[in-house]
Amino acid sequence: MDAGHTTVNDAIRQTAQAIDDEFRSLEFARQAFPMLIDWGVEDFSITVHSLGCNYLSALGRELGFWAISEYPVRVPREGAAHSVRPDVAWWARKSGELALLGEFERFVPRMPGKLAEKARNLLQAHHTLGEQPRILLLVGWALAGTDIGSLDEVRAVVHNGFRPPDAPAVPALGQDSVFILAIAVFGDVKNKRRLLRMQL
């Protein structure tokens, strides 16, 4: 393993640890997103989704990356162009390499496969963009007391890969990359949603 490769892996690990630290403390969220933590927002249309995506993008910039919300990635399909659109993307400032792809998705008990679908999108986008170490971040959100059940299907997608219809098989995430799965737990306070904690 060459020194440059080791440096990239170290950077990925350090970034993953910084994300873990933030999710455990929510320190940056408290400083920069009072509407998410303190004020609460009406759960209307995509208000919570929009705030979650903006929080993850802003966190990327806080950690020293270029970061945006919504980044379409063209993925292989037979016969027609197809794309997936991760909710957030972070680029390393020195190298310009895409360092993180992320999704922020509501968990709906009657649609338990939705998070696994988002994991498939992340994995397919990751491999389409080239084999380099990066972080795949999947944050599901739900109200406190929601039975999330097992997330083994989500993890299995990333650890085993999958075969999409009319496309080549998508391999598992390589050992040089990191998958972070978290659940954003929201409280219902006077019909407004407030982020209480992140479950890792």
mmCIF file of all heavy atoms in Angstrom, residues 73-118:
data_model
loop_
_atom_site.group_PDB
_atom_site.id
_atom_site.type_symbol
_atom_site.label_atom_id
_atom_site.label_comp_id
_atom_site.label_asym_id
_atom_site.label_seq_id
_atom_site.Cartn_x
_atom_site.Cartn_y
_atom_site.Cartn_z
ATOM 1 N N VAL A 73 -26.042 11.574 -10.126
ATOM 2 C CA VAL A 73 -24.967 10.723 -10.642
ATOM 3 C C VAL A 73 -25.573 9.801 -11.698
ATOM 4 O O VAL A 73 -26.536 9.079 -11.418
ATOM 5 C CB VAL A 73 -24.331 9.872 -9.515
ATOM 6 C CG1 VAL A 73 -23.270 8.941 -10.085
ATOM 7 C CG2 VAL A 73 -23.742 10.778 -8.439
ATOM 8 N N ARG A 74 -25.024 9.838 -12.917
ATOM 9 C CA ARG A 74 -25.496 8.949 -13.979
ATOM 10 C C ARG A 74 -25.022 7.531 -13.671
ATOM 11 O O ARG A 74 -23.844 7.309 -13.399
ATOM 12 C CB ARG A 74 -24.925 9.403 -15.326
ATOM 13 C CG ARG A 74 -25.524 8.660 -16.521
ATOM 14 C CD ARG A 74 -24.776 9.014 -17.802
ATOM 15 N NE ARG A 74 -24.621 10.431 -17.993
ATOM 16 C CZ ARG A 74 -25.509 11.212 -18.605
ATOM 17 N NH1 ARG A 74 -26.623 10.695 -19.070
ATOM 18 N NH2 ARG A 74 -25.275 12.500 -18.754
ATOM 19 N N VAL A 75 -25.943 6.587 -13.696
ATOM 20 C CA VAL A 75 -25.593 5.191 -13.415
ATOM 21 C C VAL A 75 -25.986 4.329 -14.607
ATOM 22 O O VAL A 75 -26.888 4.675 -15.366
ATOM 23 C CB VAL A 75 -26.281 4.682 -12.126
ATOM 24 C CG1 VAL A 75 -25.811 5.456 -10.908
ATOM 25 C CG2 VAL A 75 -27.791 4.751 -12.241
ATOM 26 N N PRO A 76 -25.303 3.188 -14.792
ATOM 27 C CA PRO A 76 -25.557 2.355 -15.973
ATOM 28 C C PRO A 76 -26.921 1.684 -15.941
ATOM 29 O O PRO A 76 -27.361 1.173 -14.911
ATOM 30 C CB PRO A 76 -24.431 1.320 -15.924
ATOM 31 C CG PRO A 76 -23.964 1.301 -14.521
ATOM 32 C CD PRO A 76 -24.209 2.661 -13.975
ATOM 33 N N ARG A 77 -27.593 1.720 -17.070
ATOM 34 C CA ARG A 77 -28.845 0.996 -17.297
ATOM 35 C C ARG A 77 -28.887 0.639 -18.782
ATOM 36 O O ARG A 77 -28.378 1.396 -19.614
ATOM 37 C CB ARG A 77 -30.072 1.868 -16.987
ATOM 38 C CG ARG A 77 -30.419 2.001 -15.533
ATOM 39 C CD ARG A 77 -31.053 0.733 -14.974
ATOM 40 N NE ARG A 77 -31.656 0.940 -13.677
ATOM 41 C CZ ARG A 77 -31.016 0.918 -12.535
ATOM 42 N NH1 ARG A 77 -29.723 0.725 -12.534
ATOM 43 N NH2 ARG A 77 -31.652 1.096 -11.395
ATOM 44 N N GLU A 78 -29.505 -0.452 -19.096
ATOM 45 C CA GLU A 78 -29.619 -0.835 -20.503
ATOM 46 C C GLU A 78 -30.677 0.019 -21.197
ATOM 47 O O GLU A 78 -31.777 0.182 -20.687
ATOM 48 C CB GLU A 78 -29.992 -2.311 -20.629
ATOM 49 C CG GLU A 78 -28.856 -3.247 -20.266
ATOM 50 C CD GLU A 78 -29.224 -4.698 -20.496
ATOM 51 O OE1 GLU A 78 -30.303 -4.943 -21.066
ATOM 52 O OE2 GLU A 78 -28.436 -5.567 -20.098
ATOM 53 N N GLY A 79 -30.311 0.594 -22.361
ATOM 54 C CA GLY A 79 -31.285 1.245 -23.207
ATOM 55 C C GLY A 79 -31.540 2.714 -22.957
ATOM 56 O O GLY A 79 -31.847 3.449 -23.870
ATOM 57 N N ALA A 80 -31.418 3.200 -21.715
ATOM 58 C CA ALA A 80 -31.755 4.598 -21.455
ATOM 59 C C ALA A 80 -30.871 5.147 -20.343
ATOM 60 O O ALA A 80 -30.353 4.421 -19.509
ATOM 61 C CB ALA A 80 -33.221 4.709 -21.052
ATOM 62 N N ALA A 81 -30.718 6.470 -20.363
ATOM 63 C CA ALA A 81 -29.957 7.138 -19.313
ATOM 64 C C ALA A 81 -30.737 7.034 -18.000
ATOM 65 O O ALA A 81 -31.962 7.088 -17.982
ATOM 66 C CB ALA A 81 -29.732 8.593 -19.681
ATOM 67 N N HIS A 82 -30.023 6.869 -16.915
ATOM 68 C CA HIS A 82 -30.641 6.751 -15.605
ATOM 69 C C HIS A 82 -29.716 7.416 -14.603
ATOM 70 O O HIS A 82 -28.496 7.419 -14.777
ATOM 71 C CB HIS A 82 -30.851 5.270 -15.241
ATOM 72 C CG HIS A 82 -31.491 5.069 -13.906
ATOM 73 N ND1 HIS A 82 -32.816 5.322 -13.673
ATOM 74 C CD2 HIS A 82 -30.976 4.654 -12.724
ATOM 75 C CE1 HIS A 82 -33.102 5.066 -12.407
ATOM 76 N NE2 HIS A 82 -32.001 4.645 -11.813
ATOM 77 N N SER A 83 -30.290 7.997 -13.562
ATOM 78 C CA SER A 83 -29.446 8.616 -12.544
ATOM 79 C C SER A 83 -30.032 8.383 -11.168
ATOM 80 O O SER A 83 -31.226 8.100 -11.022
ATOM 81 C CB SER A 83 -29.298 10.124 -12.800
ATOM 82 O OG SER A 83 -30.537 10.783 -12.598
ATOM 83 N N VAL A 84 -29.162 8.488 -10.176
ATOM 84 C CA VAL A 84 -29.599 8.559 -8.790
ATOM 85 C C VAL A 84 -29.111 9.909 -8.275
ATOM 86 O O VAL A 84 -28.165 10.489 -8.813
ATOM 87 C CB VAL A 84 -29.041 7.395 -7.935
ATOM 88 C CG1 VAL A 84 -29.574 6.065 -8.441
ATOM 89 C CG2 VAL A 84 -27.527 7.388 -7.915
ATOM 90 N N ARG A 85 -29.772 10.406 -7.233
ATOM 91 C CA ARG A 85 -29.450 11.754 -6.772
ATOM 92 C C ARG A 85 -29.253 11.763 -5.267
ATOM 93 O O ARG A 85 -30.182 12.013 -4.500
ATOM 94 C CB ARG A 85 -30.573 12.717 -7.168
ATOM 95 C CG ARG A 85 -30.249 14.183 -6.906
ATOM 96 C CD ARG A 85 -31.346 15.072 -7.447
ATOM 97 N NE ARG A 85 -32.638 14.733 -6.842
ATOM 98 C CZ ARG A 85 -33.803 15.152 -7.318
ATOM 99 N NH1 ARG A 85 -33.856 15.867 -8.409
ATOM 100 N NH2 ARG A 85 -34.926 14.811 -6.700
ATOM 101 N N PRO A 86 -28.024 11.484 -4.812
ATOM 102 C CA PRO A 86 -27.753 11.573 -3.379
ATOM 103 C C PRO A 86 -28.100 12.963 -2.840
ATOM 104 O O PRO A 86 -27.942 13.975 -3.541
ATOM 105 C CB PRO A 86 -26.246 11.305 -3.288
ATOM 106 C CG PRO A 86 -25.963 10.450 -4.492
ATOM 107 C CD PRO A 86 -26.861 10.999 -5.566
ATOM 108 N N ASP A 87 -28.566 12.997 -1.599
ATOM 109 C CA ASP A 87 -28.990 14.254 -0.998
ATOM 110 C C ASP A 87 -27.831 15.194 -0.721
ATOM 111 O O ASP A 87 -28.009 16.415 -0.738
ATOM 112 C CB ASP A 87 -29.737 13.985 0.317
ATOM 113 C CG ASP A 87 -31.116 13.398 0.082
ATOM 114 O OD1 ASP A 87 -31.740 13.722 -0.951
ATOM 115 O OD2 ASP A 87 -31.586 12.611 0.939
ATOM 116 N N VAL A 88 -26.658 14.641 -0.413
ATOM 117 C CA VAL A 88 -25.495 15.493 -0.134
ATOM 118 C C VAL A 88 -24.241 14.883 -0.740
ATOM 119 O O VAL A 88 -24.137 13.656 -0.894
ATOM 120 C CB VAL A 88 -25.266 15.717 1.385
ATOM 121 C CG1 VAL A 88 -26.400 16.499 2.007
ATOM 122 C CG2 VAL A 88 -25.069 14.414 2.119
ATOM 123 N N ALA A 89 -23.314 15.755 -1.073
ATOM 124 C CA ALA A 89 -22.004 15.328 -1.580
ATOM 125 C C ALA A 89 -20.948 16.273 -1.030
ATOM 126 O O ALA A 89 -21.167 17.488 -0.984
ATOM 127 C CB ALA A 89 -21.989 15.333 -3.108
ATOM 128 N N TRP A 90 -19.832 15.700 -0.590
ATOM 129 C CA TRP A 90 -18.700 16.479 -0.092
ATOM 130 C C TRP A 90 -17.471 16.189 -0.942
ATOM 131 O O TRP A 90 -17.209 15.032 -1.281
ATOM 132 C CB TRP A 90 -18.339 16.097 1.343
ATOM 133 C CG TRP A 90 -19.390 16.274 2.385
ATOM 134 C CD1 TRP A 90 -20.662 16.748 2.250
ATOM 135 C CD2 TRP A 90 -19.242 15.949 3.780
ATOM 136 N NE1 TRP A 90 -21.316 16.742 3.453
ATOM 137 C CE2 TRP A 90 -20.470 16.263 4.405
ATOM 138 C CE3 TRP A 90 -18.184 15.443 4.539
ATOM 139 C CZ2 TRP A 90 -20.672 16.069 5.779
ATOM 140 C CZ3 TRP A 90 -18.391 15.240 5.899
ATOM 141 C CH2 TRP A 90 -19.602 15.561 6.514
ATOM 142 N N TRP A 91 -16.714 17.229 -1.269
ATOM 143 C CA TRP A 91 -15.454 17.080 -1.988
ATOM 144 C C TRP A 91 -14.294 17.534 -1.115
ATOM 145 O O TRP A 91 -14.394 18.549 -0.421
ATOM 146 C CB TRP A 91 -15.437 17.936 -3.253
ATOM 147 C CG TRP A 91 -16.278 17.439 -4.374
ATOM 148 C CD1 TRP A 91 -15.883 16.675 -5.437
ATOM 149 C CD2 TRP A 91 -17.679 17.678 -4.579
ATOM 150 N NE1 TRP A 91 -16.934 16.426 -6.275
ATOM 151 C CE2 TRP A 91 -18.057 17.038 -5.779
ATOM 152 C CE3 TRP A 91 -18.660 18.382 -3.872
ATOM 153 C CZ2 TRP A 91 -19.351 17.076 -6.270
ATOM 154 C CZ3 TRP A 91 -19.952 18.422 -4.361
ATOM 155 C CH2 TRP A 91 -20.274 17.767 -5.547
ATOM 156 N N ALA A 92 -13.183 16.792 -1.186
ATOM 157 C CA ALA A 92 -11.964 17.188 -0.483
ATOM 158 C C ALA A 92 -11.387 18.430 -1.148
ATOM 159 O O ALA A 92 -11.295 18.505 -2.374
ATOM 160 C CB ALA A 92 -10.946 16.046 -0.508
ATOM 161 N N ARG A 93 -11.001 19.403 -0.370
ATOM 162 C CA ARG A 93 -10.538 20.678 -0.927
ATOM 163 C C ARG A 93 -9.200 20.557 -1.656
ATOM 164 O O ARG A 93 -9.001 21.163 -2.698
ATOM 165 C CB ARG A 93 -10.432 21.741 0.170
ATOM 166 C CG ARG A 93 -11.790 22.242 0.623
ATOM 167 C CD ARG A 93 -11.658 23.364 1.633
ATOM 168 N NE ARG A 93 -12.978 23.868 2.006
ATOM 169 C CZ ARG A 93 -13.573 24.902 1.421
ATOM 170 N NH1 ARG A 93 -12.967 25.536 0.442
ATOM 171 N NH2 ARG A 93 -14.761 25.300 1.813
ATOM 172 N N LYS A 94 -8.286 19.777 -1.138
ATOM 173 C CA LYS A 94 -6.961 19.698 -1.778
ATOM 174 C C LYS A 94 -7.011 18.895 -3.068
ATOM 175 O O LYS A 94 -6.490 19.309 -4.095
ATOM 176 C CB LYS A 94 -5.940 19.095 -0.815
ATOM 177 C CG LYS A 94 -5.524 20.035 0.294
ATOM 178 C CD LYS A 94 -4.402 19.429 1.124
ATOM 179 C CE LYS A 94 -3.960 20.391 2.213
ATOM 180 N NZ LYS A 94 -2.869 19.810 3.049
ATOM 181 N N SER A 95 -7.631 17.754 -3.025
ATOM 182 C CA SER A 95 -7.583 16.841 -4.174
ATOM 183 C C SER A 95 -8.758 17.006 -5.130
ATOM 184 O O SER A 95 -8.674 16.612 -6.291
ATOM 185 C CB SER A 95 -7.562 15.388 -3.675
ATOM 186 O OG SER A 95 -8.800 15.067 -3.047
ATOM 187 N N GLY A 96 -9.856 17.563 -4.652
ATOM 188 C CA GLY A 96 -11.060 17.634 -5.462
ATOM 189 C C GLY A 96 -11.792 16.302 -5.575
ATOM 190 O O GLY A 96 -12.746 16.175 -6.338
ATOM 191 N N GLU A 97 -11.340 15.300 -4.824
ATOM 192 C CA GLU A 97 -11.983 13.982 -4.855
ATOM 193 C C GLU A 97 -13.311 14.024 -4.102
ATOM 194 O O GLU A 97 -13.444 14.691 -3.072
ATOM 195 C CB GLU A 97 -11.075 12.926 -4.215
ATOM 196 C CG GLU A 97 -9.743 12.734 -4.901
ATOM 197 C CD GLU A 97 -9.854 11.940 -6.194
ATOM 198 O OE1 GLU A 97 -10.974 11.468 -6.506
ATOM 199 O OE2 GLU A 97 -8.837 11.792 -6.882
ATOM 200 N N LEU A 98 -14.279 13.291 -4.610
ATOM 201 C CA LEU A 98 -15.564 13.193 -3.940
ATOM 202 C C LEU A 98 -15.396 12.294 -2.712
ATOM 203 O O LEU A 98 -15.132 11.101 -2.835
ATOM 204 C CB LEU A 98 -16.608 12.611 -4.896
ATOM 205 C CG LEU A 98 -18.062 12.664 -4.471
ATOM 206 C CD1 LEU A 98 -18.491 14.093 -4.162
ATOM 207 C CD2 LEU A 98 -18.945 12.079 -5.544
ATOM 208 N N ALA A 99 -15.534 12.884 -1.533
ATOM 209 C CA ALA A 99 -15.197 12.186 -0.295
ATOM 210 C C ALA A 99 -16.392 11.566 0.406
ATOM 211 O O ALA A 99 -16.231 10.635 1.198
ATOM 212 C CB ALA A 99 -14.499 13.157 0.664
ATOM 213 N N LEU A 100 -17.603 12.075 0.144
ATOM 214 C CA LEU A 100 -18.783 11.567 0.846
ATOM 215 C C LEU A 100 -20.014 11.706 -0.035
ATOM 216 O O LEU A 100 -20.191 12.717 -0.728
ATOM 217 C CB LEU A 100 -18.997 12.335 2.154
ATOM 218 C CG LEU A 100 -20.239 11.968 2.979
ATOM 219 C CD1 LEU A 100 -19.935 12.059 4.485
ATOM 220 C CD2 LEU A 100 -21.448 12.846 2.649
ATOM 221 N N LEU A 101 -20.844 10.690 -0.003
ATOM 222 C CA LEU A 101 -22.186 10.732 -0.584
ATOM 223 C C LEU A 101 -23.155 10.394 0.538
ATOM 224 O O LEU A 101 -22.905 9.451 1.314
ATOM 225 C CB LEU A 101 -22.342 9.718 -1.710
ATOM 226 C CG LEU A 101 -21.517 9.965 -2.977
ATOM 227 C CD1 LEU A 101 -21.592 8.740 -3.884
ATOM 228 C CD2 LEU A 101 -21.999 11.211 -3.709
ATOM 229 N N GLY A 102 -24.245 11.161 0.645
ATOM 230 C CA GLY A 102 -25.154 10.919 1.759
ATOM 231 C C GLY A 102 -26.614 11.042 1.394
ATOM 232 O O GLY A 102 -26.980 11.684 0.401
ATOM 233 N N GLU A 103 -27.445 10.412 2.204
ATOM 234 C CA GLU A 103 -28.899 10.468 2.065
ATOM 235 C C GLU A 103 -29.521 10.773 3.426
ATOM 236 O O GLU A 103 -29.041 10.308 4.467
ATOM 237 C CB GLU A 103 -29.458 9.129 1.565
ATOM 238 C CG GLU A 103 -29.125 8.787 0.134
ATOM 239 C CD GLU A 103 -30.061 9.447 -0.874
ATOM 240 O OE1 GLU A 103 -30.923 10.257 -0.471
ATOM 241 O OE2 GLU A 103 -29.926 9.132 -2.067
ATOM 242 N N PHE A 104 -30.589 11.561 3.402
ATOM 243 C CA PHE A 104 -31.378 11.858 4.600
ATOM 244 C C PHE A 104 -32.816 11.486 4.260
ATOM 245 O O PHE A 104 -33.444 12.135 3.427
ATOM 246 C CB PHE A 104 -31.264 13.347 4.949
ATOM 247 C CG PHE A 104 -31.946 13.727 6.241
ATOM 248 C CD1 PHE A 104 -31.281 13.595 7.451
ATOM 249 C CD2 PHE A 104 -33.239 14.223 6.243
ATOM 250 C CE1 PHE A 104 -31.899 13.940 8.647
ATOM 251 C CE2 PHE A 104 -33.873 14.575 7.424
ATOM 252 C CZ PHE A 104 -33.205 14.435 8.630
ATOM 253 N N GLU A 105 -33.340 10.440 4.869
ATOM 254 C CA GLU A 105 -34.602 9.846 4.416
ATOM 255 C C GLU A 105 -35.539 9.541 5.586
ATOM 256 O O GLU A 105 -35.121 8.968 6.594
ATOM 257 C CB GLU A 105 -34.312 8.544 3.659
ATOM 258 C CG GLU A 105 -35.515 7.858 3.092
ATOM 259 C CD GLU A 105 -36.187 8.649 1.981
ATOM 260 O OE1 GLU A 105 -35.494 9.448 1.302
ATOM 261 O OE2 GLU A 105 -37.405 8.459 1.780
ATOM 262 N N ARG A 106 -36.787 9.914 5.428
ATOM 263 C CA ARG A 106 -37.809 9.591 6.433
ATOM 264 C C ARG A 106 -38.015 8.069 6.490
ATOM 265 O O ARG A 106 -38.140 7.413 5.453
ATOM 266 C CB ARG A 106 -39.135 10.252 6.071
ATOM 267 C CG ARG A 106 -40.251 9.993 7.090
ATOM 268 C CD ARG A 106 -41.616 10.371 6.528
ATOM 269 N NE ARG A 106 -41.747 11.776 6.238
ATOM 270 C CZ ARG A 106 -42.386 12.666 7.007
ATOM 271 N NH1 ARG A 106 -42.953 12.272 8.125
ATOM 272 N NH2 ARG A 106 -42.463 13.927 6.648
ATOM 273 N N PHE A 107 -38.048 7.525 7.705
ATOM 274 C CA PHE A 107 -38.394 6.118 7.872
ATOM 275 C C PHE A 107 -39.902 6.005 7.994
ATOM 276 O O PHE A 107 -40.517 6.620 8.869
ATOM 277 C CB PHE A 107 -37.725 5.514 9.111
ATOM 278 C CG PHE A 107 -38.151 4.096 9.366
ATOM 279 C CD1 PHE A 107 -37.576 3.051 8.664
ATOM 280 C CD2 PHE A 107 -39.162 3.816 10.278
ATOM 281 C CE1 PHE A 107 -37.988 1.739 8.874
ATOM 282 C CE2 PHE A 107 -39.585 2.513 10.502
ATOM 283 C CZ PHE A 107 -38.988 1.477 9.793
ATOM 284 N N VAL A 108 -40.508 5.223 7.110
ATOM 285 C CA VAL A 108 -41.955 5.009 7.121
ATOM 286 C C VAL A 108 -42.203 3.536 7.410
ATOM 287 O O VAL A 108 -41.811 2.675 6.615
ATOM 288 C CB VAL A 108 -42.578 5.401 5.761
ATOM 289 C CG1 VAL A 108 -44.084 5.180 5.794
ATOM 290 C CG2 VAL A 108 -42.245 6.852 5.410
ATOM 291 N N PRO A 109 -42.838 3.208 8.560
ATOM 292 C CA PRO A 109 -43.020 1.794 8.917
ATOM 293 C C PRO A 109 -43.687 0.956 7.836
ATOM 294 O O PRO A 109 -43.353 -0.211 7.664
ATOM 295 C CB PRO A 109 -43.886 1.875 10.183
ATOM 296 C CG PRO A 109 -43.536 3.196 10.795
ATOM 297 C CD PRO A 109 -43.307 4.119 9.632
ATOM 298 N N ARG A 110 -44.624 1.532 7.083
ATOM 299 C CA ARG A 110 -45.308 0.737 6.052
ATOM 300 C C ARG A 110 -44.445 0.570 4.801
ATOM 301 O O ARG A 110 -44.834 -0.131 3.875
ATOM 302 C CB ARG A 110 -46.657 1.371 5.693
ATOM 303 C CG ARG A 110 -46.562 2.709 5.000
ATOM 304 C CD ARG A 110 -47.952 3.267 4.659
ATOM 305 N NE ARG A 110 -47.850 4.526 3.952
ATOM 306 C CZ ARG A 110 -47.682 5.711 4.517
ATOM 307 N NH1 ARG A 110 -47.600 5.788 5.844
ATOM 308 N NH2 ARG A 110 -47.613 6.810 3.795
ATOM 309 N N MET A 111 -43.291 1.241 4.767
ATOM 310 C CA MET A 111 -42.362 1.112 3.631
ATOM 311 C C MET A 111 -40.970 0.789 4.162
ATOM 312 O O MET A 111 -40.034 1.576 4.011
ATOM 313 C CB MET A 111 -42.334 2.416 2.820
ATOM 314 C CG MET A 111 -43.668 2.800 2.218
ATOM 315 S SD MET A 111 -43.627 4.460 1.457
ATOM 316 C CE MET A 111 -42.396 4.211 0.178
ATOM 317 N N PRO A 112 -40.798 -0.359 4.829
ATOM 318 C CA PRO A 112 -39.526 -0.664 5.491
ATOM 319 C C PRO A 112 -38.348 -0.794 4.533
ATOM 320 O O PRO A 112 -37.201 -0.695 4.956
ATOM 321 C CB PRO A 112 -39.816 -1.989 6.208
ATOM 322 C CG PRO A 112 -40.941 -2.591 5.437
ATOM 323 C CD PRO A 112 -41.777 -1.445 4.968
ATOM 324 N N GLY A 113 -38.617 -1.013 3.253
ATOM 325 C CA GLY A 113 -37.525 -1.173 2.299
ATOM 326 C C GLY A 113 -36.948 0.132 1.775
ATOM 327 O O GLY A 113 -35.985 0.116 1.006
ATOM 328 N N LYS A 114 -37.506 1.268 2.207
ATOM 329 C CA LYS A 114 -37.064 2.561 1.657
ATOM 330 C C LYS A 114 -35.604 2.860 1.999
ATOM 331 O O LYS A 114 -34.848 3.356 1.148
ATOM 332 C CB LYS A 114 -37.966 3.674 2.190
ATOM 333 C CG LYS A 114 -37.759 5.014 1.527
ATOM 334 C CD LYS A 114 -38.251 5.014 0.102
ATOM 335 C CE LYS A 114 -38.206 6.414 -0.491
ATOM 336 N NZ LYS A 114 -38.566 6.433 -1.910
ATOM 337 N N LEU A 115 -35.189 2.575 3.214
ATOM 338 C CA LEU A 115 -33.796 2.843 3.587
ATOM 339 C C LEU A 115 -32.844 1.931 2.817
ATOM 340 O O LEU A 115 -31.750 2.362 2.422
ATOM 341 C CB LEU A 115 -33.592 2.686 5.097
ATOM 342 C CG LEU A 115 -34.276 3.723 5.987
ATOM 343 C CD1 LEU A 115 -33.915 3.483 7.447
ATOM 344 C CD2 LEU A 115 -33.912 5.144 5.581
ATOM 345 N N ALA A 116 -33.245 0.682 2.588
ATOM 346 C CA ALA A 116 -32.410 -0.220 1.791
ATOM 347 C C ALA A 116 -32.289 0.300 0.358
ATOM 348 O O ALA A 116 -31.225 0.210 -0.260
ATOM 349 C CB ALA A 116 -32.984 -1.637 1.810
ATOM 350 N N GLU A 117 -33.365 0.857 -0.168
ATOM 351 C CA GLU A 117 -33.326 1.440 -1.506
ATOM 352 C C GLU A 117 -32.329 2.594 -1.563
ATOM 353 O O GLU A 117 -31.555 2.726 -2.519
ATOM 354 C CB GLU A 117 -34.717 1.932 -1.902
ATOM 355 C CG GLU A 117 -34.772 2.620 -3.253
ATOM 356 C CD GLU A 117 -36.121 3.256 -3.529
ATOM 357 O OE1 GLU A 117 -37.136 2.781 -2.984
ATOM 358 O OE2 GLU A 117 -36.165 4.241 -4.295
ATOM 359 N N LYS A 118 -32.334 3.433 -0.538
ATOM 360 C CA LYS A 118 -31.387 4.548 -0.489
ATOM 361 C C LYS A 118 -29.953 4.038 -0.365
ATOM 362 O O LYS A 118 -29.025 4.615 -0.937
ATOM 363 C CB LYS A 118 -31.727 5.486 0.665
ATOM 364 C CG LYS A 118 -33.046 6.217 0.485
ATOM 365 C CD LYS A 118 -33.028 7.095 -0.757
ATOM 366 C CE LYS A 118 -34.322 7.861 -0.942
ATOM 367 N NZ LYS A 118 -34.297 8.735 -2.131
#
